[in-house]
Amino acid sequence: MLSVEEALSRILKAFDTLAPETVSLNDGLGRVLASDLKARLTQPPADVSAMDGYAVRASDLQKLPAELQVVGEAPAGGCYPKELLAGQAVRIFTGGPVPAGADTIIIQENTQQADKLVLIKEGEKPGRYIRPAGLDFKEGETGLEKGTLLTARDLALAAAMNHPWLEVYRKPRVAILATGDEVVLPGQNVGPNQIISSNTTALMAFVRECGGEPISLGIAPDDRDALARLARGAEGADLLLTTGGASVGDHDLIRSVLGEQGLELDFWRIAMRPGKPLIFGKLGKTPMIGLPGNPVSTLVCAYIFARPALKKMTGLDPYQQQTEKAVLETSLEANDKRQDYLRASLTRNKDGQLSVTPFQRQDSSMLNLLRQANCLVIRPPFAPAAEKAEEVDIIRL
């Protein structure tokens, strides 16, 4: 059996970053920039006021209170077109351009205006309450770098830099095929020997969460012809994810049926728990990851193997999902030859440290515990017994 590290390395070698495409600014959330984004203008374009008040010359405020002549105003979107002379003031508003000759802003709370005169009660140093041109960014500066996963804050900056369109990496198209006579979709009639399939729903949401576009191929019964027919729907996809049919039972048909359809098998079975019967290969030009059928195994393997592949295709660092250290709140037995991923609850203890409590039951059919978990505790192969308060590696969910 392959180690987790070797299996992941082989999987990632099969994927490349996808080609760029252009999307509108409003469709950029969650996409990854394919090129640096440079400012197309300077912001602010000129020195502007940060407050409502009066633009004045600091040299006129040597003696206070000082009475100045109000010669005009500078609202946001407007300006006072002349140079400010000695003894003059301009009524100014937040965002208004600072007139030539003025070098400070007196906030209106420290003034008293009557007709065309303003009484300045408190002075300020030169530059006070003035936002200089280019304070935020200057034309030509790189505001967002290639490889940025775009958030609402990033899109706000892109808009301010005057970019209505963005060059981003294409979303991976991921075909999802569930298998098994025993599973039916939510809402369908459930036979006496059947269960609801949660894997398709979970994987479609998972793919979207990772920035991909899921394509459901449905549920293939344990029938060779039906499985082959549905699997052909993956042609043209960037990745095929199958669930179930990956083990060694008489009804586990994925390897044999897809082998007849041209599946080039890279490996089958890895030294991990849950998820030992993982398949990886290529069906035609489409890489395929065959996930185990148990719902917890499906999602854990998706996190460990499919997520890095999707990250690489979308232009992100596939190893970005870093492990962290946490202290155990309970002891753990020694591990066997398989790398274990234990569902667990992650909190902070009274000392501010991350502390983790693995659940007592780790059955791979128990979705409710996976839903309650917010991390996985990693137990390497042959890890010795661990006592309470020892550090372990965890991956956040």
Side-chain angles (χ1 to χ4, degrees), residues 108-296:
Q108 63 187 29
E109 292 90 334
N110 295 333
T111 67
Q112 182 179 340
Q113 184 175 356
D115 296 327
K116 295 295 184 180
L117 298 175
V118 62
L119 185 68
I120 307 297
K121 300 176 183 179
E122 295 184 23
E124 295 289 358
K125 296 178 181 180
R128 182 64 167 159
Y129 298 124
I130 293 177
R131 294 171 179 155
L135 174 66
D136 200 358
F137 49 81
K138 294 180 174 63
E139 183 177 358
E141 286 183 350
T142 298
L144 295 168
E145 296 179 343
K146 176 182 178 180
T148 297
L149 178 63
L150 294 169
T151 66
R153 291 172 289 123
D154 298 320
L155 294 178
L157 179 57
M161 294 192 303
N162 198 24
H163 284 277
W165 302 96
L166 303 171
E167 187 179 46
V168 297
Y169 292 111
R170 180 172 65 78
K171 289 185 176 183
R173 293 186 293 267
V174 182
I176 298 168
L177 176 62
T179 66
D181 288 336
E182 75 278 13
V183 291
V184 295
L185 292 174
Q188 292 182 335
N189 292 328
V190 183
N193 300 308
Q194 292 183 310
I195 58 173
I196 299 294
S197 171
S198 61
N199 288 348
T200 298
T201 299
L203 288 174
M204 289 185 72
F206 171 83
V207 167
R208 290 192 185 99
E209 189 178 62
C210 294
E213 291 183 347
I215 305 163
S216 176
L217 301 182
I219 298 176
D222 292 327
D223 174 270
R224 302 183 73 87
D225 292 338
L227 176 56
R229 183 176 66 255
L230 288 175
R232 285 194 285 271
E235 186 175 351
D238 300 298
L239 171 63
L240 168 62
L241 293 177
T242 65
T243 70
S247 194
V248 293
D250 292 340
H251 298 280
D252 293 318
L253 304 175
I254 287 291
R255 283 186 302 138
S256 60
V257 172
L258 296 190
E260 295 168 0
Q261 304 302 310
L263 174 66
E264 296 179 11
L265 184 66
D266 188 315
F267 64 79
W268 170 60
R269 297 200 303 175
I270 51 177
M272 71 176 286
R273 182 190 300 107
K276 175 183 175 183
L278 187 91
I279 298 172
F280 179 66
K282 268 195 173 183
L283 185 61
K285 296 181 179 180
T286 304
M288 177 206 130
I289 300 177
L291 301 167
N294 273 324
V296 173

